[in-house]
Amino acid sequence: MSDSLPVTRVAAGVISQGGRYLIARRKADAHLGGLWEFPGGKCDPGEAPADCVKRELWEELAVRIGTPIPLCVVNHEYPERRVELHFFRCRIEEGEARPLGCSELRWVTPGELSDFAFPPADHVLIEQLRSEPLPFP
Ligand SMILES: Nc1nc2c([nH]c(=O)n2[C@@H]2O[C@H](COP(=O)(O)OP(=O)(O)OP(=O)(O)O)[C@@H](O)[C@H]2O)c(=O)[nH]1
Ligand SMILES: [Mg+2]
């Protein structure tokens, strides 16, 4: 892994409800534009990933979530940036998700996850969620 690229710390939320996961399509002009992802974004300097995911889900989806539960941390190097992705399991406590920070939102079953193109950093998590879905509220 190259040492020249700084690490971008990112937090993203795996929101599950009624047997489905919420996925978002990245805007065409964003890094990895057009791919599907778990909504979230970059941590501000000094911001804890759990606080970041709460803020990002409010900004990007207009929902309030309960305490985020850590799922896994993935390190990945893209040609233009290194990311340290903190995935959290999240539950919506207030609001209905709206696509404010993405081009599209979908609620999908575990089996449908493989029909969508995700960034390489997400592949291991996607496989896990497909083979062993989280218990749905
Ligand atoms: N949110 C999110 N980002 C991911 C995932 N997988 C993955 O590789 N990333 C990468 O992590 C970085 C997240 O940045 P972002 O573009 O969402 O950041 P942001 O919401 O703060 O946006 P901004 O920089 O336009 O303000 C991007 O480089 C993105 O490609 C994922 O599942 N969710
Ligand atoms: Mg984002």
Side-chain angles (χ1 to χ4, degrees):
M1 200 179 260
S2 137
D3 286 332
S4 52
L5 293 169
V7 176
T8 303
R9 183 174 290 159
V10 175
V14 178
I15 299 175
S16 58
Q17 204 169 284
R20 290 172 185 266
Y21 296 111
L22 183 61
I23 61 171
R25 189 165 202 191
R26 295 181 64 79
K27 290 184 176 165
D29 59 356
H31 179 237
L32 308 177
L35 294 184
W36 292 81
E37 67 169 12
F38 294 102
K42 301 181 193 80
C43 299
D44 288 337
E47 183 181 42
D51 293 331
C52 171
V53 74
K54 283 185 155 184
R55 176 181 55 73
E56 287 283 347
L57 297 187
W58 172 247
E59 290 174 4
E60 295 191 354
L61 307 174
V63 296
R64 299 281 185 202
I65 58 164
T67 303
I69 300 168
L71 265 181
C72 60
V73 180
V74 175
N75 285 282
H76 190 86
E77 182 169 338
Y78 292 112
E80 56 289 325
R81 73 168 61 143
R82 286 161 78 178
V83 291
E84 179 187 282
L85 272 155
H86 295 248
F87 288 104
F88 291 89
R89 175 162 200 209
C90 303
R91 207 169 65 83
I92 296 177
E93 289 202 332
E94 254 182 78
E96 204 166 297
R98 290 191 281 140
L100 302 182
C102 58
S103 64
E104 208 180 331
L105 285 178
R106 296 261 184 105
W107 287 97
V108 300
T109 62
E112 285 166 348
L113 282 172
S114 49
D115 298 342
F116 296 84
F118 281 82
D122 294 38
H123 289 176
V124 169
L125 174 62
I126 293 291
E127 257 329 291
Q128 271 174 25
L129 295 175
R130 265 169 44 78
S131 60
E132 207 175 310
L134 299 170
F136 291 101

